[in-house]
Amino acid sequence: MVALQAPDPVEVVVRNNGPDVWGVLASLVPLAILLAAVIAAFIGWRSMQTQAEANRRAQWWDRAAWALDASTSTNMDRRVIGLGVLALLAESSLAGEEEARIVQVASNESLAQKVTAREDARGKPPSPGAPETGTQKRIRLEAARLRVVTDRKIGQQTPEWIVELTRTRD
């Protein structure tokens, strides 16, 4: 029998040049998916908030249109209600400066102010005319309240005679 000689041992060298890039990236995929889901959820939530705000503003304008129409009605009771609703709407956070200026037109008309802005700033009341009925006084009171609210909203000083109207009771 012939004896076989064992082969020379094979030297195996393993080189580790750092982490496997693909392995690291593969381990980060779940984190990237989670991050993308959170971003998408935030965008969706923000979109819903924006849409809800737009819907509330549209409803505000629908109510304001009704109240503006009512405030110019020939029916005096409806006019009082319209001015009161406008004052409530003007206090809303949905009403900005521009909306307050638009609503203020109704108060000016109901206060029978046919004066210029300069005369208004001096605080002159409209000239006295025929005696007012109880309903007409209520209209002027609601118009004065509306004017105070809108002036506060737009940062304008309310003439003293209008403020006095809000303090008077029948």
Side-chain angles (χ1 to χ4, degrees), residues 61-164:
W61 270 112
D62 288 344
R63 292 180 188 124
W66 177 87
L68 284 166
D69 182 54
S71 73
T72 59
S73 174
T74 56
N75 179 319
M76 295 302 174
D77 290 331
R78 186 168 189 247
R79 197 172 195 177
V80 169
I81 292 169
L83 289 166
V85 170
L86 283 174
L88 289 173
L89 290 171
E91 289 177 346
S92 169
S93 62
L94 297 172
E97 185 177 324
E98 183 178 352
E99 289 83 2
R101 287 184 188 281
I102 292 169
V103 168
Q104 192 178 61
V105 171
S107 72
N108 291 344
E109 183 63 32
S110 294
L111 285 169
Q113 283 188 300
K114 303 297 183 197
V115 294
T116 66
R118 198 171 64 243
E119 289 171 321
D120 186 16
R122 287 186 299 210
K124 289 186 175 181
S127 45
E132 291 182 313
T133 66
T135 305
Q136 289 170 330
K137 285 180 183 176
R138 285 180 28 225
I139 289 171
R140 286 175 53 89
L141 173 64
E142 288 300 324
R145 287 181 182 159
L146 174 58
R147 176 65 186 269
V148 169
V149 169
T150 56
D151 282 350
R152 186 177 344 121
K153 189 73 130 182
I154 61 178
Q156 184 175 330
Q157 176 137 3
T158 306
E160 189 56 37
W161 69 270
I162 294 176
V163 174
E164 282 300 317

